[in-house]
Amino acid sequence: MTQKPLTYADAGVSIAAGNALVKAIGPLARSTARPGADAELGGFGGFFDLKAAGYHDPLLVAANDGVGTKLKLAIETGRHDGVGIDLVAMCANDLIVQGAEPLFFLDYYATGKLDKEIAAAVVKSIAEGCRRAGCALIGGETAEMPGMYAGGDYDLAGFCVGAVNRDKVLTGSSISPGDLILGLASSGVHSNGFSLVRRVIADQRWEPEATSPKLGKPLADALLEPTRIYVRALLPVVQRGMVKGLAHITGGGLLENIPRVLPENCHAFVDAGRWDLPAIFGVLQEGGRIAPEEMARTFNCGIGMAVIVATADADAVANALEDAGERVFEIGRVEKGRRGCTVSASTGWGSLGGWSATHHA
């Protein structure tokens, strides 16, 4: 019996499907064009012109990240139109904390079998994230790898490059005792802590598609709300030198992220009673019987970005950020002490009473 000649398609990889996807997402990339990049796809690499972007003595700053197990919930519920925004946010927000403007973005999409409709929805959301961050989607990679991923699973990684003029780098070195800490409201859980989220869902046997009485919407809708991108609001006050330090509140929460930008002998004190714990976190805390200290080191708990400013600049910065569409809270201050952060509240989140937690860097 003569063996049929094998093709790549027989092994589970469709070159035609990949080409069709590239053709379909071309307009999405072009919609993100900005000075310095035309955002055309199809070459072996993407170009960016720093001079056209207005930089005279730039340092490049790079960040990469993923979306984590939030993707599992997106896949299981068929909601793919927000995870690309998450992907961009996790990278772009990490650049602005160093004073850098995100300039261009590349994505990596890997799956066992390419579904053009799902892949296009994901890339569409990546393009939306790039528009929100003001950066160009100049390239990416789609990998179809049978045997590596089960069923309709896929994974994402993102890579973002930004620039900051050498004299505008934000290091946190000027932070000193007496400075105030402003908090920018998060849009929800963002993209951290989802392994714990999914454990709570499994233990409680919650149905993500069911409407939660405490949320007024399906649980999945609340959990999959895309990560807020703070770049456009923060960039003007950062470039004007009005901000001393920024901390993107991701894994590790307020406790572990704020100390990353503090100088030695500075300790951040955050009063969690200064803002209301958003409903989605209350639902998770109650469902998992999670202690406030664990909440503070796992989730953003309603604060997606911490902004450290001199007392004299606090009102002007808060007003500028509110005018840009952010919800701003004064959540604490910097005092002299061992580098670290203490988060506390005289009345607890949920019904767990007063509490305090400290982390030293």
Side-chain angles (χ1 to χ4, degrees):
M1 180 176 179
T2 304
Q3 181 178 344
K4 173 190 172 184
L6 291 176
T7 66
Y8 210 3
D10 292 327
V13 179
S14 172
I15 294 176
N19 290 338
L21 177 63
V22 171
K23 185 175 181 180
I25 64 179
L28 298 174
R30 287 192 288 275
S31 74
T32 69
R34 52 150 295 153
D38 59 16
E40 284 286 346
L41 299 182
F44 287 95
F47 287 93
F48 192 93
D49 185 347
L50 281 170
K51 183 180 288 187
Y55 287 89
H56 61 273
D57 185 23
L59 293 174
L60 294 179
V61 187
N64 72 295
D65 212 331
V67 183
T69 56
K70 186 175 187 177
L71 282 179
K72 286 294 291 182
L73 186 60
I75 292 166
E76 290 164 1
T77 60
R79 290 166 165 82
H80 310 284
D81 56 356
V83 293
I85 299 172
D86 288 306
L87 186 67
V88 176
M90 296 305 289
C91 297
N93 285 340
D94 277 354
L95 294 184
I96 187 61
V97 301
Q98 296 173 91
E101 175 191 13
L103 299 178
F104 59 87
F105 191 86
L106 299 97
D107 70 282
Y108 177 78
Y109 178 97
T111 185
K113 182 172 178 57
L114 185 61
D115 183 312
K116 179 184 170 184
E117 190 172 309
I118 291 175
V122 171
V123 177
K124 182 178 180 180
S125 70
I126 293 172
E128 172 60 25
C130 287
R131 288 191 293 272
R132 294 185 186 187
C135 61
L137 177 61
I138 66 170
E141 173 69 10
T142 301
E144 193 173 23
M145 298 187 288
M148 284 289 289
Y149 298 91
D153 284 352
Y154 62 85
D155 200 7
L156 292 174
F159 310 85
C160 195
V161 173
V164 56
N165 281 321
R166 195 177 303 269
D167 60 347
K168 297 292 185 181
V169 176
L170 198 58
T171 66
S173 61
S174 65
I175 294 172
S176 60
D179 290 340
L180 295 182
I181 306 172
L182 306 178
L184 305 188
S186 69
S187 54
V189 184
H190 285 185
S191 299
N192 297 101
F194 271 84
S195 293
L196 179 55
V197 168
R198 292 171 56 248
R199 173 64 184 270
V200 173
I201 291 173
D203 285 355
Q204 295 299 312
R205 299 183 179 179
W206 286 341
E207 174 49 61
E209 299 286 5
T211 296
S212 166
K214 294 184 177 180
L215 300 173
K217 64 176 74 172
L219 179 63
D221 284 358
L223 290 172
L224 292 173
E225 182 70 28
T227 304
R228 190 161 183 82
I229 297 176
Y230 300 101
V231 172
R232 289 187 183 273
L234 284 169
L235 198 57
V237 290
V238 168
Q239 291 181 334
R240 286 161 57 191
M242 301 173 70
V243 172
K244 289 191 170 189
L246 293 170
H248 184 200
I249 310 305
T250 55
L254 292 158
L255 273 173
E256 296 187 11
N257 283 290
I258 293 179
R260 295 170 64 179
V261 301
L262 297 178
E264 292 295 336
N265 302 317
C266 282
H267 193 95
F269 288 88
V270 174
D271 182 357
R274 295 290 187 93
W275 74 95
D276 292 329
L277 185 72
I280 183 60
F281 296 104
V283 168
L284 293 171
Q285 183 185 34
E286 183 179 343
R289 299 175 301 282
I290 305 169
E293 297 93 328
E294 186 67 18
M295 293 288 294
R297 72 174 69 252
T298 302
F299 300 113
N300 67 63
C301 294
I303 300 296
M305 185 73 74
V307 184
I308 303 176
V309 297
T311 302
D313 293 328
D315 287 344
V317 171
N319 290 337
L321 293 173
E322 286 173 349
D323 288 344
E326 301 298 335
R327 291 176 58 217
V328 185
F329 306 91
E330 184 182 315
I331 63 172
R333 64 188 304 109
V334 177
E335 296 183 11
K336 187 174 181 179
R338 182 179 172 190
R339 185 159 66 103
C341 180
T342 297
V343 180
S344 62
S346 56
T347 57
W349 290 334
S351 58
L352 298 176
W355 60 275
S356 178
T358 297
H359 171 79
H360 291 113

